[in-house]
Amino acid sequence: NAGVTQTPKFQVLKTGQSMTLQCAQDMNHNSMYWYRQDPGMGLRLIYYSASEGTTDKGEVPNGYNVSRLNKREFSLRLESAAPSQTSVYFCASSRVFQEGYGYTFGSGTRLTVV
Amino acid sequence: SQQGEEDPQALSIQEGENATMNCSYKTSINNLQWYRQNSGRGLVHLILIRSNEREKHSGRLRVTLDTSKKSSSLLITASRAADTASYFCATDGETSGSRLTFGEGTQLTVNP
């Protein structure tokens, strides 16, 4: 089925460990986004890529890096995980970076940092 | 801070009743969108209303937008147990450019 695929679905890390969350979309969308969702906080934008070759910081970028590998793939890296990064991470894509387009979301990665 | 704020935080109704959720936002917007999230799943886009529109329908969904009050409402008519989910409003516009800013959501429970 067409959509946004995230891997892994679950992950437990120890404080200080690193990991990369993978995201791929097969809808030929130009723009991709990483959000984190915490209880009582809604979704907060970490980083986004308006188009292939560009990335920009969102609302909460500290402690994260991203790579727009190609048009399909947008990865999120935690270099040194901290307990405050325990969250559910969602990748999303949209056709273009322009007002008025809905986002397609992946099913999320549930990350626990101990 | 979050641009959109949903009200109520939680809503419990019986199957067949209508459910109304509200969203307020702080700054001028270009568009407002509503999303649904089932437990443990990603968000699903429901409907988009542009700042120059006042009302929009999609199946059992009706969305209104009042830019003078900076508020929107989502009405689900004849609710079903399968409508049980969290509902989020999201805005793009002055503060966020083309990036969506999400509210904290309304948890809707529809009892059979």
Side-chain angles (χ1 to χ4, degrees), chain B residues 17-21 60-61 74-79 83 87 108:
Chain B
E17 293 180 340
N18 295 341
T20 300
M21 289 158 273
R60 293 184 297 113
L61 305 180
L74 171 67
L75 169 68
I76 304 174
T77 60
S79 63
D83 294 328
Y87 292 82
L108 173 66

Side-chain angles (χ1 to χ4, degrees), chain B residues 38-78:
Chain B
N38 291 89
S39 181
R41 309 294 294 272
L43 280 73
V44 175
H45 181 255
L46 294 175
I47 196 166
L48 179 153
I49 187 165
R50 302 187 188 281
S51 58
N52 61 354
E53 297 176 310
R54 292 297 167 258
E55 188 170 314
K56 205 161 183 180
H57 297 254
S58 177
R60 293 184 297 113
L61 305 180
R62 173 178 167 248
V63 170
T64 61
L65 179 64
D66 186 335
T67 54
S68 66
K69 295 181 179 178
K70 292 188 170 58
S71 67
S72 173
S73 66
L74 171 67
L75 169 68
I76 304 174
T77 60

Side-chain angles (χ1 to χ4, degrees), chain A residues 35 37 40 48 100 103 110, chain B residues 30-31 35 37 40 99-100 104:
Chain A
Y35 284 86
Q37 184 177 32
Y48 66 99
Y103 288 11
R110 281 144 188 82
Chain B
N30 295 313
N31 303 283
Y35 287 78
Q37 183 181 34
R99 299 163 293 168
L100 285 183
E104 296 176 15

Side-chain angles (χ1 to χ4, degrees), chain A residues 4 6 23 25 29-36 44-51 56 58 66 68 74-76 89-99 101-106, chain B residues 33 35 92 96 98-100 102:
Chain A
V4 177
Q6 291 184 236
C23 175
Q25 51 89 11
H29 284 176
N30 287 297
S31 304
M32 299 184 74
Y33 314 83
W34 277 105
Y35 284 86
R36 59 178 289 174
R44 292 181 291 169
L45 182 64
I46 305 170
Y47 270 94
Y48 66 99
S49 171
S51 61
D56 284 286
V66 290
R68 183 74 183 266
F74 189 38
S75 63
L76 178 71
Y89 292 86
F90 288 99
C91 177
S93 69
S94 64
R95 207 174 87 181
V96 292
F97 189 69
Q98 190 173 319
E99 295 95 356
Y101 286 90
Y103 288 11
T104 301
F105 280 83
Chain B
Q33 304 182 30
Y35 287 78
D92 61 19
S96 60
S98 296
R99 299 163 293 168
L100 285 183
F102 287 82

